[in-house]
Amino acid sequence: QKEVEQNSGPLSVPEGAIASLNCTYSDRGSQSFFWYRQYSGKSPELIMFIYSNGDKEDGRFTAQLNKASQYVSLLIRDSQPSDSATYLCAVNIGTRYGAGSYQLTFGKGTKLSVIP
Amino acid sequence: KAGVTQTPRYLIKTRGQQVTLSCSPISGHRSVSWYQQTPGQGLQFLFEYFSETQRNKGNFPGRFSGRQFSNSRSEMNVSTLELGDSALYLCASRLAGAFAGELFFGEGSRLTVL
């Protein structure tokens, strides 16, 4: 069973709209959750992380976590063409392997296209 | 501050050969992780090293191995290459601590196996 699931997309939104990206995970013991952005031909870069239930906002980005439903989402407000990229949801399952261990399990990513 | 540096960036090998990839983490980062990225499987964890010790390993065969040196630089080796090993191999470093910080990825080494 896959541990982190995302819709592969592509998700197309018009410029200025809200893009909503979703992710579910299977390990109830997961403690930390991350959203990475990967432009075509580039390496992933972290844009948000969240540890606690609820919302966390950073500029145009809002991460939402619901541990009971094992669900993480990323909202991008006022979407810009420069936001067009693949968004990767990642979960730290390192706690299975002992204190200090750090292993991210990634979803396969959702490709976002922002149409001017 | 310099980022994560991976070498070589591109390489082509034939089945049965072996390959060694190198990663220099950001200065001060003692944790180095390796990931394999393919279109079909996405990003998959290979292993993590901290202070020259492998802390955990992903679900890959023993042909995949790695090591870390005292200066935190890391290498990974793949022996007896198979066509399915063609992938982008990404190295990531981070500051180790109670609240694990973000991973900083290098640009990757793209391996093609013919």
Side-chain angles (χ1 to χ4, degrees), chain A residues 13-91:
Chain A
V13 299
E15 184 175 356
I18 295 175
S20 178
L21 304 161
N22 304 314
C23 171
T24 58
Y25 60 95
S26 60
D27 186 346
R28 285 197 171 273
S30 301
Q31 295 295 317
S32 48
F33 308 86
F34 304 82
W35 284 99
Y36 282 79
R37 176 177 62 198
Q38 187 172 25
Y39 292 112
S40 181
K42 298 294 185 181
S43 57
E45 57 177 333
L46 180 70
I47 53 173
M48 290 284 293
F49 62 87
I50 187 166
Y51 297 139
S52 304
N53 276 329
D55 294 0
K56 179 181 178 182
E57 187 174 316
D58 184 1
R60 296 187 296 113
F61 298 94
T62 299
Q64 300 174 316
L65 173 62
N66 183 326
K67 289 187 178 180
S69 301
Q70 296 176 244
Y71 177 89
V72 191
S73 66
L74 179 70
L75 301 178
I76 306 174
R77 291 182 299 281
D78 188 24
S79 295
Q80 301 297 309
S82 59
D83 295 325
S84 298
T86 297
Y87 290 80
L88 301 166
C89 174
V91 176

Side-chain angles (χ1 to χ4, degrees), chain A residues 6 34-48 85-90 104 106-109, chain B residues 4 6 26 33-38 42-44 88-93 102-110:
Chain A
Q6 295 181 254
F34 304 82
W35 284 99
Y36 282 79
R37 176 177 62 198
Q38 187 172 25
Y39 292 112
S40 181
K42 298 294 185 181
S43 57
E45 57 177 333
L46 180 70
I47 53 173
M48 290 284 293
T86 297
Y87 290 80
L88 301 166
C89 174
L104 287 189
F106 284 84
K108 290 189 177 181
Chain B
V4 177
Q6 292 188 246
I26 292 172
S33 301
W34 288 89
Y35 289 81
Q36 182 197 65
Q37 187 171 34
T38 60
L43 265 165
Q44 293 186 285
L88 180 66
Y89 290 88
L90 290 162
C91 169
S93 74
E102 62 184 284
L103 286 181
F104 291 85
F105 283 89
E107 291 299 317
S109 293
R110 185 167 295 281

